[in-house]
Amino acid sequence: MAEWWLQILSLPIHNISNPRFINIFCRNSLSLFQKRTDSAHTAHSEFGRRKDQLQSRASPSSPMKPTDMAKEGTETTEETEHMIEKNGAKETETVLSAGDAKEMRAVILSGFGGLNKLRVTKKAMPEPQEGEVKIRVKACGLNFLDLMVRQGNIDSPPKTPLVPGFECSGIVEAMGENTKGFEIGDRVVAFVNYNAWAEVVCTPLDYVYNMPDDMTFPEAAAFSMNFVAAYMMLFEVANLREGMSVLVHSAGGGVGQAVAQLCSTIPSVTVFGTASSFKHEAIKDSVTHLFDRNIDYVQEVKKISPEGVDIVLDCLSGENTGKGLGLLRPLGTYILYGSSNMVTGETKSFFSLAKSWWQVEKVNPIKLYEENKVIAGFSLLNLLFKQGRCGQVKTVVEKLFSLYNQKKIKPVVDSLWALEEVKEAMQRIHDRGNIGKLILDVEKSPTPLMASDSTETSEAGEEEEEHEGDNDNKERMPFIQ
Amino acid sequence: MAEWWLQILSLPIHNISNPRFINIFCRNSLSLFQKRTDSAHTAHSEFGRRKDQLQSRASPSSPMKPTDMAKEGTETTEETEHMIEKNGAKETETVLSAGDAKEMRAVILSGFGGLNKLRVTKKAMPEPQEGEVKIRVKACGLNFLDLMVRQGNIDSPPKTPLVPGFECSGIVEAMGENTKGFEIGDRVVAFVNYNAWAEVVCTPLDYVYNMPDDMTFPEAAAFSMNFVAAYMMLFEVANLREGMSVLVHSAGGGVGQAVAQLCSTIPSVTVFGTASSFKHEAIKDSVTHLFDRNIDYVQEVKKISPEGVDIVLDCLSGENTGKGLGLLRPLGTYILYGSSNMVTGETKSFFSLAKSWWQVEKVNPIKLYEENKVIAGFSLLNLLFKQGRCGQVKTVVEKLFSLYNQKKIKPVVDSLWALEEVKEAMQRIHDRGNIGKLILDVEKSPTPLMASDSTETSEAGEEEEEHEGDNDNKERMPFIQ
């Protein structure tokens, strides 16, 4: 520890609309996570100085475990971390300088696992290949899927180390050969097949779209995956029409809010939503009927609509597939588009979660025939990066921009986080604390916890402890290994 | 036999565009079916007299087996059958008179099984209940589903005896109380929950639609189930749009031809179809790519479209479900809407067919998620009669009538058959001999075989013998027990 350059920093909060808490890490000591104590909180908030630019380069001779070294390969060893010794309220941060133009900051996932696998590091500046656009990133979207990537709980996970992130907004800085349709300085939003959580990304022009003039960078990064997925599910898979009804889980999340807004563009659509009770006040105007996420939503929906609903959008998987199919009206469509129960399910063991994933109820086509039902799966990432449907997605993006320009939709940004705060941001989405989208603001500096931000984050911490566990020994601290 | 009124009849063919053959029955002797001999054929065609009205009432004292008596309950014993003694070319018909106004002719299915379970009998004239329309039937549709009903191979089969048939066209003759929207004399097409194959039916007004002025009664009866099913599958379940591709099996059948016509109303839709080779010349203009029904259509489609198709409409079931799902492009939809392989599969035993029905591949929703695919089931009858979606179907019927009036669609009628010829008609659909829809023309008199009608019907008979068998002893004659 003595070899680290320690620095205690405190910055004013800007652009954060909701409370948050800071996880406590120490690089060379596993499982130091604890619920924040009042003493740490008080000590932390005492530092009120602002620094517009945080610059603190870790020593090249910083100690690294051999395994870390092996994983990182040629990467620069400089990195940034919040370091807080829990008992003494002794807080330390080491923040990377922006470096010269041949390097850039990026979030690195060194291996699949808990939050401690994430850190900010310097990487070589990427340059655009033929057909690619180089983007100076302003904002990146953070999705539940990123938690699954971190755990390696995805189909065909890539090799680590990697830079996570699938969407960003920013300014075009250069273009590869044969890259038409963009100019340097264009404000764009883009999909990236990993690597979005960085200061600069390069991605094929088919994944890049010019942003509406009025759209902010955080809005654009909040917009791309969630609204495109919601639109395609509602209108291209399920064929939403006037008078229909929709059930969406996690109604307060990024996709949930996108679904609610898109449903409001069609007359007489009834939206049933499930969400944690504490979000109900904030989102009650966006959906027709709200249920607590812990109650039996099947019974609640049937009380209001005995025949069920026309569309069920399920990001939970597991037993919810059977429930969702059971809730469908004739000709109704159930769409599985995620599997957040794998990460935040009610069971405590990771293995039982994996089991519920693979044991999801199989569907007999003949039952669908007898009941006139439709079941679909939707994965935007696979559509974009495995199945080459860029053209279809581009058309959808254009339709959505048109709706945005008509002020019929507007992405909901929950909160902005510095790259260095990616762990806290992930914890927040894991705890389902967010309303709308979490954004990594690349130009933002880490913000310390404020005294007024205590209550909700404590609850989020408790919720996480109740539900998760990688194994019996670490049951109460699954993400801090 | 001696107590039967025997009569040898021969009528000119009218309105029959395709050859057919006459099955050979004898009421009190099972399994008399044989392939028609040249001698029988020659003898048959010698009778060229026309009778505009066939009237021959069976004696009330006609001998009946006790089992038949028990099954028939209170039904009138009068009936009509073609009776042909095979070896001596001795042909006999006993045809029912129209009777007085308190009775009507109807096709009766006395029990589930082969063709011998069907006959024409007299039943009490039905009268409309509250909310019902009484229709003097002109034409009834015959569907593959009717073969399944005859065998009892449907979900929750009703009790026998019953009058089969789910669709008809005709003229409104009376209305029950509180039945608005129709007038006596209206030309209508209607869905009926059984009982369509009769001179008169009563059905709730929600299932009755005024026909376009230019539509003939056979067209209307050919139109209702097939076009409504095709429309709802293409546009309400699968969301057919410009530039998409569709694979339809049995492209020469009623639904297949409806699908082809509806696809032609959308620009740049590619239709792949499978059909028996002998139909290809007749239907080649209606689909883009035609394959023989016995070849590996998966390979053939992939040769032309390596990425697969957007919509697969499957009435075959069994292993075709896996094949169909495998052929889908991303966001593509597979729809199972029937199970004709149950009746005409390539395996010989009914039990192996039933096995393939129940062993249809189950679908893992997670696989759908990874592959971005949709699987649906569609049963128009369940939608109408179990799930009460009359309003939605009515809207579809109106859209289809509009397309008809614009001359964008036109039902294809394969052939017209008298009620007394229902067995031959069923054999034809079973043998996949039809191009378009088979219609029971209630006012038509039975038509004997003509000399020019030999070749194809012989083949049909052979095909039937090759493919079907209720059990080992009767393997070559499953429908004539």
Side-chain angles (χ1 to χ4, degrees), chain B residues 44 94 112 130 251 269 297 303 326 335 367 384 423 426 447:
Chain B
H44 192 82
T94 307
F112 298 118
E130 183 174 349
V269 171
Y297 59 86
K303 278 183 200 166
I335 308 179
K367 197 169 161 59
L384 282 167
K423 296 171 189 175
M426 273 205 170
T447 311

Side-chain angles (χ1 to χ4, degrees), chain A residues 235 239 330 357 360-366 369-375 377-379 382 387 389 392, chain B residues 235 239 330-331 357 360-366 369-375 377-379 382 387 389:
Chain A
F235 296 108
N239 204 358
W357 169 256
V360 60
E361 189 180 1
K362 312 295 184 299
V363 177
N364 188 337
I366 292 168
Y369 165 73
E370 288 168 355
E371 297 184 356
N372 277 305
K373 289 182 176 176
V374 185
I375 177 168
F378 183 80
S379 161
N382 285 357
Q387 298 162 351
R389 285 307 191 92
Q392 193 169 354
Chain B
F235 297 107
N239 203 0
L331 297 183
W357 168 256
V360 60
E361 189 181 0
K362 312 296 185 297
V363 177
N364 187 337
I366 292 170
Y369 165 73
E370 288 168 356
E371 297 184 355
N372 277 305
K373 289 182 176 176
V374 185
I375 177 168
F378 183 79
S379 162
N382 285 356
Q387 298 161 353
R389 285 305 191 93

Side-chain angles (χ1 to χ4, degrees), chain B residues 27-28 63-73 75 79 110 116-117 119 161:
Chain B
R27 175 179 179 77
N28 295 315
M64 294 187 74
K65 289 185 293 186
T67 51
D68 285 346
M69 293 290 283
K71 282 178 184 166
E72 292 186 351
E75 287 166 18
E79 59 184 54
S110 60
N116 69 325
K117 302 291 187 187
R119 65 180 185 284

Side-chain angles (χ1 to χ4, degrees), chain A residues 65-302:
Chain A
K65 288 183 290 184
T67 50
D68 284 348
M69 292 290 283
K71 282 176 184 166
E72 293 188 349
T74 59
E75 286 167 16
T76 324
T77 58
E78 294 92 339
E79 59 185 51
T80 302
E81 282 196 340
H82 294 246
M83 302 186 71
I84 304 173
E85 278 202 9
K86 56 185 175 119
N87 292 328
K90 184 179 169 187
E91 300 184 355
T92 305
E93 287 197 349
T94 307
V95 182
L96 188 69
S97 76
D100 60 35
K102 293 189 177 173
E103 290 184 328
M104 64 157 190
R105 285 155 64 234
V107 174
I108 285 282
L109 181 71
S110 60
F112 299 118
L115 289 173
N116 68 324
K117 302 292 187 186
L118 290 165
R119 66 180 182 284
V120 175
T121 188
K122 287 189 85 174
K123 283 179 67 79
M125 176 68 68
E127 293 304 329
Q129 306 298 304
E130 183 174 348
E132 285 189 345
V133 179
K134 179 182 179 182
I135 300 166
R136 174 66 56 172
V137 179
K138 298 290 185 178
C140 318
L142 199 156
N143 298 290
F144 220 104
L145 187 62
D146 297 310
L147 277 70
M148 296 175 63
V149 168
R150 195 195 72 218
Q151 294 190 326
N153 287 332
I154 53 169
D155 187 37
S156 310
K159 287 183 181 172
T160 55
L162 60 82
V163 176
F166 299 105
E167 59 184 342
C168 65
S169 57
I171 293 172
V172 173
E173 193 165 274
M175 284 164 295
E177 289 180 20
N178 299 317
T179 309
K180 292 179 182 171
F182 294 97
E183 292 184 6
I184 292 169
D186 277 358
R187 300 168 77 245
V188 294
V189 58
F191 292 112
V192 199
N193 195 9
Y194 295 97
N195 294 313
W197 295 353
E199 288 180 320
V200 176
V201 303
C202 292
T203 192
L205 64 90
D206 284 345
Y207 300 125
V208 185
Y209 321 95
N210 281 305
M211 283 166 50
D213 293 340
D214 294 341
M215 191 177 264
T216 67
F217 289 116
E219 278 182 338
F223 172 90
S224 36
M225 282 189 70
N226 290 358
F227 271 86
V228 170
Y231 187 96
M232 295 190 85
M233 288 193 289
L234 290 174
F235 296 108
E236 308 216 336
V237 177
N239 204 358
L240 176 69
R241 282 158 294 168
E242 184 171 348
M244 283 187 166
S245 52
V246 178
L247 168 66
V248 61
H249 297 296
S250 303
V255 174
Q257 286 293 293
V259 165
Q261 289 187 21
L262 288 170
C263 285
S264 74
T265 66
I266 304 294
S268 307
V269 170
T270 303
V271 181
F272 297 86
T274 70
S276 303
S277 287
F278 75 87
K279 299 184 186 179
H280 285 203
E281 182 60 27
I283 66 173
K284 68 179 183 340
D285 291 338
S286 62
V287 301
T288 323
H289 304 285
L290 255 181
F291 310 120
D292 185 88
R293 63 181 286 258
N294 295 314
I295 67 163
D296 180 356
Y297 60 85
V298 173
Q299 291 309 313
E300 295 302 313
V301 171
K302 286 196 169 170

Side-chain angles (χ1 to χ4, degrees), chain B residues 34-249:
Chain B
Q34 271 200 344
K35 278 166 59 186
R36 182 170 35 87
T37 62
D38 281 346
S39 60
H41 185 200
T42 307
H44 192 82
S45 61
E46 284 170 0
F47 299 89
R49 293 167 290 130
R50 176 185 176 98
K51 277 200 172 182
D52 285 336
Q53 188 67 32
L54 301 176
Q55 293 186 336
S56 174
R57 187 182 294 265
S59 161
S61 61
S62 296
M64 294 187 74
K65 289 185 293 186
T67 51
D68 285 346
M69 293 290 283
K71 282 178 184 166
E72 292 186 351
T74 59
E75 287 166 18
T76 325
T77 58
E78 294 92 341
E79 59 184 54
T80 301
E81 283 196 344
H82 296 247
M83 301 188 69
I84 304 172
E85 276 201 9
K86 57 184 171 126
N87 291 328
K90 184 179 171 186
E91 300 185 355
T92 306
E93 286 199 350
T94 307
V95 181
L96 187 70
S97 75
D100 59 35
K102 293 190 176 172
E103 290 184 330
M104 62 156 191
R105 285 156 63 235
V107 174
I108 285 283
L109 180 70
S110 60
F112 298 118
L115 289 171
N116 69 325
K117 302 291 187 187
L118 291 164
R119 65 180 185 284
V120 174
T121 187
K122 286 190 85 175
K123 283 180 69 81
M125 176 66 69
E127 293 304 329
Q129 305 300 303
E130 183 174 349
E132 286 189 345
V133 179
K134 179 182 180 183
I135 300 165
R136 174 65 58 172
V137 179
K138 298 289 185 180
C140 318
L142 199 155
N143 297 290
F144 220 105
L145 187 63
D146 297 311
L147 277 71
M148 295 176 64
V149 167
R150 196 196 71 218
Q151 294 189 329
N153 287 332
I154 53 168
D155 187 37
S156 308
K159 288 182 181 173
T160 55
L162 60 82
V163 175
F166 299 106
E167 59 184 343
C168 64
S169 58
I171 293 171
V172 173
E173 193 165 274
M175 284 164 294
E177 289 180 18
N178 300 317
T179 311
K180 292 179 182 171
F182 295 95
E183 292 184 7
I184 291 170
D186 277 357
R187 299 169 77 245
V188 293
V189 58
F191 292 111
V192 199
N193 195 8
Y194 294 96
N195 293 314
W197 295 354
E199 288 180 321
V200 177
V201 302
C202 294
T203 192
L205 64 90
D206 284 344
Y207 301 125
V208 186
Y209 320 95
N210 281 305
M211 283 166 50
D213 293 340
D214 293 341
M215 191 177 264
T216 67
F217 288 115
E219 277 182 338
F223 171 90
S224 36
M225 281 188 72
N226 291 358
F227 271 86
V228 170
Y231 186 96
M232 296 189 85
M233 289 193 289
L234 290 174
F235 297 107
E236 308 216 334
V237 178
N239 203 0
L240 177 67
R241 282 158 294 170
E242 184 171 347
M244 283 186 165
S245 52
V246 178
L247 168 66
V248 61
H249 296 295

Side-chain angles (χ1 to χ4, degrees), chain B residues 18 174 191 195 271 305 307 363 376:
Chain B
N18 288 283
F191 292 111
N195 293 314
V271 181
S305 176
E307 225 197 347
V363 177

